[in-house]
Amino acid sequence: MAEASGVVRITDVAALAGVSPSTVSKALNDTGSLRPATRARVREAAERLGFVPDATARSLSARRSFTVGLLSTDSAGRFSLPVVLGAENALVGGQISALLATARHDPVREQHHVRSLVARRVDGIIVTGRTVDPRPPIHVPMPVVYAFAPSQDPDDASVVPDDTAGMRAVAAHLLSLGRRRVAYVGGRGDQLASTLRHDALVDALAEHGLQRAGEPLYGEWSERWGRLAVDLLLGDHRAGEPLPFDAVAFASDQLARGGCDRLRDRGIRVPQDVAVTGYDDWDVMTMASRPPLTTVDPQLERLGQRAAELLLAAIDGRPSHGVEPSPPRLVVRASTMGDG
């Protein structure tokens, strides 16, 4: 009968599995008290017949919409896009649809999107942003997990890049190469990404009895500032004189690319004279730099996936609380190791 009509019904699955239609519904919706073997038999029958459950019926039976909101405040998407992609991959695996809303760093627009997501009765919301600075929480009647940009409420669930581990990995790498006079160039001094990475570098150097070379320099997140910062670090240095530093840890790949350009302009070889590291593993910058940059990959897709896993657990009644750091990965390239 299923073959004649071309439509597979729940009764067809029940007949093949040798169970009642209500048992099929419970097995496919993960509800009720069924033996694992029964659930497996029903799912095998549904797969063989190509049965597609009705989404509306599924929602009504489970009292869920099987949709999740992804709320981003980042207009450019430089950091939030990979977070969203990672989250979406995890949600699709859980047969959950995602609704993406971009607030473009506009509080009024954000509140509009929050109201819309609540009106659509999403099962939960993942909030992500453009910086790792803590942000005000949203107040909604469903679970929320914050990804990349943590909530200011310490009781909320947040997943953030482990910048401390990332910069400590940079320090360990530079020290392993025999570098002992490491300078630091950050972006904006009022942003956590700049100060946290600086503090982690200083702490890692101190553990080896070393101090940072010179004062930390803070400015804009741009190649232009990276070039200017190198001039400030060099001061009145003249060709042939000993350099005041043998490595520069930049707080972003943009800064590091500009820094490499300026070092080359000043006749200083990278990495023979000065090793250079970036941060974020933005391939537009790392691979276009001369030489390609050693950097830290914060693994943002993995971070987004973890945020989605925490949200799905919260939707199932197993909420998490507090900030969970997501591990980074050091990516070694020619700016510290050379072409060999």
Side-chain angles (χ1 to χ4, degrees):
M1 184 172 183
E3 293 180 359
S5 65
V7 177
V8 179
R9 298 178 175 83
I10 195 170
T11 52
D12 301 318
V13 178
L16 181 59
V19 298
S20 68
S22 64
T23 298
V24 172
S25 178
K26 292 176 183 177
L28 297 181
N29 289 317
D30 283 324
T31 59
S33 298
L34 301 177
R35 290 182 299 174
T38 302
R39 289 188 192 276
R41 190 165 74 251
V42 170
R43 289 173 179 171
E44 181 182 356
E47 185 175 349
R48 285 179 57 188
L49 294 174
F51 175 69
V52 179
D54 179 78
T56 302
R58 183 181 179 218
S59 297
L60 290 174
S61 66
R63 295 186 180 180
R64 285 176 51 183
S65 66
F66 292 94
T67 58
V68 161
L70 298 175
L71 177 61
S72 170
T73 62
D74 185 5
S75 57
R78 164 68 189 93
F79 297 107
S80 63
L81 182 58
V83 172
V84 167
L85 291 176
E88 188 179 34
N89 287 339
L91 294 171
V92 169
Q95 297 185 323
I96 306 293
S97 297
L99 300 176
L100 176 62
T102 56
R104 306 177 193 176
H105 212 55
D106 180 350
V108 175
R109 187 184 294 268
E110 177 176 298
Q111 286 303 310
H112 165 73
H113 287 314
V114 169
R115 289 192 297 268
S116 296
L117 291 171
V118 171
R120 290 174 177 268
R121 297 182 179 179
V122 295
D123 296 328
I125 300 175
I126 295 174
V127 179
T128 186
R130 61 194 298 182
T131 74
V132 294
D133 296 299
R135 51 151 293 146
I138 63 173
H139 301 286
V140 293
M142 65 270 297
V144 178
V145 173
Y146 298 83
F148 191 74
S151 170
Q152 291 174 350
D153 186 340
D155 194 50
D156 288 336
S158 301
V159 186
V160 300
D162 193 342
D163 281 354
T164 297
M167 193 53 80
R168 290 182 69 86
V170 166
H173 174 62
L174 292 174
L175 292 173
S176 73
L177 299 175
R179 309 293 172 155
R180 294 294 181 268
R181 291 169 288 118
V182 184
Y184 178 80
V185 175
R188 286 174 46 182
D190 62 340
Q191 290 187 325
L192 190 60
S194 280
T195 57
L196 186 63
R197 293 169 188 177
H198 165 263
D199 293 347
L201 175 68
V202 169
D203 289 346
L205 293 175
E207 290 175 6
H208 291 80
L210 301 174
Q211 294 183 336
R212 178 200 58 239
E215 293 299 315
L217 299 179
Y218 297 105
E220 61 188 20
W221 297 99
S222 69
E223 293 177 68
R224 176 182 174 277
W225 168 237
R227 291 191 293 269
L228 178 58
V230 165
D231 284 334
L232 294 174
L233 288 172
L234 289 171
D236 57 1
H237 174 266
R238 298 174 182 273
E241 295 179 347
L243 289 165
F245 52 89
D246 58 13
V248 184
F250 289 90
S252 80
D253 296 329
Q254 281 179 287
L255 296 171
R257 181 181 175 184
C260 282
D261 286 347
R262 190 57 182 150
L263 287 167
R264 186 172 59 253
D265 292 342
R266 297 284 296 263
I268 298 170
R269 301 170 300 168
V270 176
Q272 293 89 338
D273 301 323
V274 173
V276 170
T277 62
Y279 209 102
D280 297 327
D281 199 24
W282 188 10
D283 58 359
V284 171
M285 293 292 160
T286 57
M287 302 312 295
S289 177
R290 296 162 53 196
L293 292 171
T294 290
T295 186
V296 175
D297 176 8
Q299 302 193 95
L300 295 182
E301 284 199 32
R302 178 176 175 176
L303 186 154
Q305 178 179 334
R306 179 58 181 159
E309 291 170 353
L310 292 182
L311 184 66
L312 292 175
I315 292 170
D316 287 337
R318 295 175 286 110
S320 298
H321 304 280
V323 177
E324 178 179 315
S326 182
R329 179 175 65 97
L330 181 70
V331 183
V332 176
R333 298 192 180 98
S335 68
T336 57
M337 297 295 292
D339 295 329

